[in-house]
Amino acid sequence: GAPINLKGRMVYEFTGDACQGYTVNFRFVLETGDGEGNSAITDLRHRNFESADSRSFEFRSQTFVNEVQTEDVNGTAIRDGDKVNVKLKLTEDTEFTIDKPVIFPTAQLLKTITEAEKGTTVFSDDIYDGSDGGQHVFHTSTVIGSPRTTPPDDSEKPIGNFRRWPVTVSYFGTEAGGDQPPDYSISFDLWENGVSSKMRLDYGDFVLNGKIVHLELLPETPCTKEPTPTVAPTATTPPAENQPATAPTKPESDGGAAEQPK
């Protein structure tokens, strides 16, 4: 068949604080073309709220293909000791229990910054973020490099004068064996204020590169009981690095444009 080209835009808005909890609004619109005039637009929309104490995680994930909805999942995950009880609303209600410790996406982001500051180079977590239909736990391996010493490029200058580290997060299905490659991996520069830049999404048979095209830092206010926006929305435009065979089925909600997508 003809080569496939991809282009798109990701918009990521992060608001909240350690008192109020954290809300993420994420949208990833991807246009796939085959070089013969045929194209498809995949529109992924994800919103989640994570309590500040990491006890609860609520999300809604929707997918549209050429403006026709193909997925709509509402989910709530409540921590109960070392277990997490999940309720999903798809075409019918679904409930299941995750019988092992898992981390939610904003907690994983905050942990990654903490580990980078401590000089940790590798750590692992099982993560539940509502992606992939909300029915899967991913095992993740995070690799953190030495702090960047090169000057930021023009698109990164609005982020501010903060340290940043190269980070790669690899996502494995729970069935994955020891030698299996990840389902996908995401690389990015993680800044100590939580913003990410220079994103690279590696799906194995194709790679997307993203850069910041707009960054707006929302006003910071002291931790209160009122909603307090803290970190900014960003948008990235990922051009295809090589000729992909398939289009991505979902974004990640944990470390994407301003922090990280899947």
Side-chain angles (χ1 to χ4, degrees):
I4 295 175
N5 297 303
L6 297 176
K7 63 180 180 179
R9 175 164 294 201
M10 184 183 299
V11 180
Y12 194 95
E13 180 187 69
F14 184 100
T15 57
D17 59 30
C19 299
Q20 182 75 14
Y22 305 96
T23 298
V24 172
N25 274 295
F26 177 86
R27 189 172 180 185
F28 189 12
V29 179
L30 193 64
E31 183 176 356
T32 309
D34 65 2
E36 295 179 349
N38 301 308
S39 65
I41 296 176
T42 303
D43 183 352
L44 306 147
R45 305 175 191 179
H46 185 94
R47 175 185 175 90
N48 67 59
F49 172 78
E50 188 172 328
S51 67
D53 61 8
S54 286
R55 287 189 57 81
S56 66
F57 177 72
E58 303 168 27
F59 71 92
R60 184 177 187 185
S61 184
Q62 298 170 290
T63 303
F64 299 81
V65 177
N66 293 335
E67 301 184 359
V68 176
Q69 189 168 52
T70 59
E71 182 183 73
D72 189 0
V73 183
N74 284 277
T76 303
I78 306 293
R79 196 178 303 281
D80 179 13
D82 284 342
K83 298 180 180 181
V84 172
N85 297 313
V86 179
K87 293 183 179 180
L88 300 177
K89 187 168 184 61
L90 303 132
T91 51
E92 58 186 30
D93 291 348
T94 303
E95 296 187 23
F96 63 94
T97 299
I98 301 168
D99 289 315
K100 59 182 175 181
V102 296
I103 193 169
F104 298 136
T106 297
Q108 187 197 36
L109 170 70
L110 296 172
K111 178 178 179 178
T112 305
I113 296 170
T114 299
E115 296 296 337
E117 290 172 336
K118 293 195 309 194
T120 302
T121 55
V122 181
F123 68 91
S124 296
D125 281 303
D126 291 318
I127 184 169
Y128 181 77
D129 61 11
S131 66
D132 203 18
Q135 301 186 67
H136 299 287
V137 173
F138 285 93
H139 180 71
T140 66
S141 176
T142 300
V143 178
I144 305 171
S146 300
R148 295 283 195 204
T149 56
T150 52
D153 65 29
D154 287 343
S155 69
E156 296 171 318
K157 287 177 182 175
I159 297 172
N161 185 22
F162 296 100
R163 287 179 295 171
R164 65 197 197 277
W165 299 266
V167 173
T168 297
V169 185
S170 298
Y171 293 82
F172 300 85
T174 46
E175 314 81 23
D179 296 330
Q180 249 178 292
D183 290 13
Y184 57 89
S185 64
I186 302 166
S187 301
F188 50 97
D189 278 9
L190 177 61
W191 297 63
E192 63 183 332
N193 64 348
V195 178
S196 295
S197 62
K198 290 186 166 63
M199 198 189 336
R200 176 185 172 95
L201 295 86
D202 187 343
Y203 290 91
D205 50 3
F206 67 96
V207 175
L208 296 172
N209 283 326
K211 66 177 183 178
I212 292 175
V213 295
H214 175 71
L215 173 67
E216 178 188 353
L217 295 174
L218 302 179
E220 288 190 55
T221 58
C223 213
T224 67
K225 293 184 179 180
E226 297 300 319
T228 310
T230 53
V231 177
T234 72
T236 67
T237 302
E241 181 176 272
N242 53 22
Q243 303 299 336
T246 58
T249 57
K250 61 184 178 303
E252 258 320 277
S253 60
D254 41 289
E259 317 185 1
Q260 178 41 44
K262 284 190 246 239

